[in-house]
Structures are given as structure tokens and as C-alpha cells.
């Protein structure tokens, strides 16, 4: 069994202890096999230092209430290296790794994985199918996989890609129904790592993704400053790009809802043109917002 300790609401050792014990009690357990500091990044590292979360984790392991201690991580490889260099007591790290994010500058899947390997810290992989996006995919990529092996499902390529990496404890695959469960078991029960030919197929899929006509937004936010409707234009474009790349409307709509929580929707655009005057990429923002409204709203 495994669960995580959320640091953002905790102020010290007493609250960490009560949160941990309540979790054990509610689960009816005497110990966790794996216990994690949740969603660590540079800000949460500071919080962990302030309340000595590292010492707390070490103590519950010494007491036998957690068999293995570690953390899940969402930040740069540089921040990860700082944690692993300072806290050798951390026995594993949970990283977002999939073939679409492997070379992504924001997620840094490869760079973070290589840091973990440098410190010989075992890895648990989350988001191997990128929230379900690598299970849908554009038709061109689905065809590529079908031609390579018609017996394998599209998401199986993503899960096996992650599971083929050295130093991996397990791959966490979110499943919504029994069909997905049975599919996962079918190729993981007697797991075979990707062959060289299969790796080439995955690389071709990545190359196809890289050629898709996404919105060339760099997220500079110059367009947002003068928007009278306070529309988070870069956030909306990121959601649209997610749909263009992975053909996953449900996931894209979820990203869109997060993007418009604190501002106007794409359909709120009054077409004043202030945004387009400030866009270094010369994007047709008004027209693109209309497409986003038609695609992601409702």
C-alpha cells in the first residue's frame, strides 16, 4: 500500500504526525509499504526544510510505520539533483515519464530520469500514458502502431516504453474500466521490454507529433496584459495544442477549464485586437480563440 503526505497544509511535526496517523487509521493499516512527500518542487523543498519533513519521514521508517520513503516530483532536473544530493535517505522518486514528455523542456522526463539513475535511486513512473492522451492519438500514429503490431493496443506502447527503462520499480497506469485493466495485464503479466524495432516505431510516433501544426504560442503573456476580458490566452492555446497533438477531447477540455478558472473564456473575446498587436509570434489570436470556443466549450 502507498499514499502521500501533502505539505502545503501542514505547519510542523504535530500536523504531519496527525495527518499520517489518520491516513493509517482510515485505511485500517499499521504501516505503508511506500510513503511519499507529495508533488515536490522548489517551493515545497523549502517548506520541507522549514518543518523538517525529511526528519519526519526518516522517523516513521525507523519506527516501521513506513517500509520505504520517497517523494513524487514535478520540477527541473536541477531541483531533483539538489534533493537527492541532500537527502540520501530518500529511497525512491516518482517521476512523470512518457515518450511524449521524454525531451519536453518543461517536464524534463529524460533529464530527471538520468539524475535518478546517477544517484542510483529507484523510480516509480507516473503519467506513462500522459493522462490518457497517449491512448487516443491522431489517426496517423494509430495506423503506425497497428501496422507494427495489430495485436497491441495504442496505450500498450506507452506503458511498455516506460516499463522498459532500467531502475524502474513500477509503472502507475490509471484505468477507468475492466477492459483497460485486462489490456494492461495482457502485456505486463509476462512483460517483454521494447525491442529495437519497437523503439524505432515509438520514435516515428514522436516525430509525427513534432510535425503536427500546433499553435506557435511561447507563453510570453504579452497578449494577456491588455486584454479587457482577462482571458488566459496562452493557457487556452495550451489546451488546444493538447487536443491537436493527442486527439483527446476530454483531457483538453479539462485543461481548458483550468485555464479559464480565473479569467474570461475564449467565447468572451470582444475582438478588440489588443492581443494581436502585442503577439511576437503574429498569431491570429481572435480567429484561434473562436476555434477554441467551438472545440472546447460546451
Amino acid at each position: 500500500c502507498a499514499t502521500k503526505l501533502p505539505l502545503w497544509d501542514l505547519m510542523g511535526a504535530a500536523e504531519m504526525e496527525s495527518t499520517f496517523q489518520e491516513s493509517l487509521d482510515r485505511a485500517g493499516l499499521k504501516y505503508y509499504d511506500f510513503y511519499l512527500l507529495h508533488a515536490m518542487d522548489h517551493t515545497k523543498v523549502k517548506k520541507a526544510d522549514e518543518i523538517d519533513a525529511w526528519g519526519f519521514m526518516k522517523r516513521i521508517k525507523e519506527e516501521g510505520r513506513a517500509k520505504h520513503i520517497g517523494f513524487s516530483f514535478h520540477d527541473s532536473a536541477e531541483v531533483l539533483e539538489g534533493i537527492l544530493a541532500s537527502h540520501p535517505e530518500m529511497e525512491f522518486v516518482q517521476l512523470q515519464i512518457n515518450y511524449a514528455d521524454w525531451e519536453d523542456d518543461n517536464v524534463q522526463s529524460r533529464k530527471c530520469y538520468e539524475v535518478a539513475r546517477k544517484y542510483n535511486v529507484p523510480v516509480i513512473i507516473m503519467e506513462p500514458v500522459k493522462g490518457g492522451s497517449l491512448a487516443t492519438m491522431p489517426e496517423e500514429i494509430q495506423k503506425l502502431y497497428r501496422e507494427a503490431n495489430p495485436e497491441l493496443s495504442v496505450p500498450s506502447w506507452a506503458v511498455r516504453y516506460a516499463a522498459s527503462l532500467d531502475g524502474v520499480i513500477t509503472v502507475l497506469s490509471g484505468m477507468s474500466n475492466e477492459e483497460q485493466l485486462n489490456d494492461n495485464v495482457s502485456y505486463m503479466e509476462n512483460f517483454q521490454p521494447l525491442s529495437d524495432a519497437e523503439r524505432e516505431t515509438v520514435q516515428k510516433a514522436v516525430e509525427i507529433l513534432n510535425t503536427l501544426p500546433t499553435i506557435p504560442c511561447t507563453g510570453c503573456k504579452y497578449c494577456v496584459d491588455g486584454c479587457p476580458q482577462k482571458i488566459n490566452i496562452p493557457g487556452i492555446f495550451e489546451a488546444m495544442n493538447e487536443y491537436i497533438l493527442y486527439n483527446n477531447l476530454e483531457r483538453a477540455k479539462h485543461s481548458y477549464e483550468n485555464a479559464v478558472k480565473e479569467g474570461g473564456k475564449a467565447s468572451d473575446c470582444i475582438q478588440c485586437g489588443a492581443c494581436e498587436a502585442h503577439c511576437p509570434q503574429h498569431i491570429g489570436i481572435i480567429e484561434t480563440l473562436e476555434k477554441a470556443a467551438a472545440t472546447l466549450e460546451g
Side-chain angles (χ1 to χ4, degrees), residues 52-290:
D52 192 23
W54 314 107
F56 172 77
M57 296 289 281
K58 186 176 180 181
R59 177 168 63 82
I60 61 173
K61 183 190 175 184
E62 291 172 347
E63 294 170 349
R65 294 191 293 160
K67 299 300 183 182
H68 301 285
I69 54 174
F71 59 97
S72 57
F73 184 77
H74 298 276
D75 209 320
S76 69
E78 181 180 4
V79 174
L80 177 60
E81 179 143 21
I83 296 175
L84 297 183
S86 301
H87 298 285
E89 70 274 17
M90 293 290 103
E91 299 176 280
F92 64 93
V93 58
Q94 184 169 308
L95 299 174
Q96 177 173 328
I97 294 178
N98 57 69
Y99 64 74
D101 290 328
W102 188 244
E103 297 294 351
D104 184 271
D105 290 335
N106 294 317
V107 180
Q108 297 190 12
S109 281
R110 176 182 60 79
K111 291 180 180 179
C112 287
Y113 169 74
E114 289 175 352
V115 167
R117 296 302 293 152
K118 174 182 175 181
Y119 286 86
N120 199 31
V121 175
V123 174
I124 293 174
I125 293 180
M126 58 181 159
E127 299 284 352
V129 195
K130 200 174 172 65
S133 292
L134 302 184
T136 48
M137 305 296 282
E139 174 57 30
E140 186 177 359
I141 293 177
Q142 293 196 39
K143 181 181 178 183
L144 173 72
Y145 286 144
R146 285 197 302 268
E147 290 177 348
N149 190 331
E151 296 183 1
L152 290 176
S153 66
V154 172
S156 74
W157 291 86
V159 176
R160 289 180 61 230
Y161 175 90
S164 296
L165 294 169
D166 292 334
V168 171
I169 299 173
T170 192
V171 178
L172 304 176
S173 175
M175 293 164 281
S176 304
N177 53 50
E178 188 173 353
E179 181 183 357
Q180 293 173 3
L181 173 63
N182 291 335
D183 181 54
N184 277 2
V185 171
S186 71
Y187 55 83
M188 291 300 294
E189 187 173 19
N190 298 300
F191 176 69
Q192 294 294 322
L194 291 180
S195 66
D196 290 342
E198 287 175 321
R199 288 185 182 278
E200 290 179 8
T201 298
V202 172
Q203 185 56 39
K204 288 178 182 177
V206 173
E207 290 169 1
I208 293 171
L209 285 175
N210 291 337
T211 64
L212 294 177
T214 55
I215 304 164
C217 175
T218 62
C220 69
K221 297 187 177 180
Y222 296 154
C223 57
V224 177
D225 294 338
C227 177
Q229 302 296 87
K230 306 299 181 185
I231 300 172
N232 179 8
I233 297 168
I236 292 171
F237 286 176
E238 185 176 350
M240 275 296 288
N241 280 339
E242 190 167 1
Y243 177 61
I244 292 168
L245 285 171
Y246 305 114
N247 193 34
N248 188 335
L249 185 58
E250 181 179 356
R251 174 87 172 195
K253 284 188 173 182
H254 178 71
S255 298
Y256 175 79
E257 289 169 3
N258 287 332
V260 301
K261 274 183 178 178
E262 299 180 3
K265 298 185 296 184
S267 59
D268 292 332
C269 174
I270 59 174
Q271 302 187 4
C272 68
C275 54
E276 294 188 354
H278 292 97
C279 180
Q281 309 305 318
H282 307 292
I283 299 170
I285 295 176
I286 294 172
E287 180 182 356
T288 308
L289 285 175
E290 287 181 341

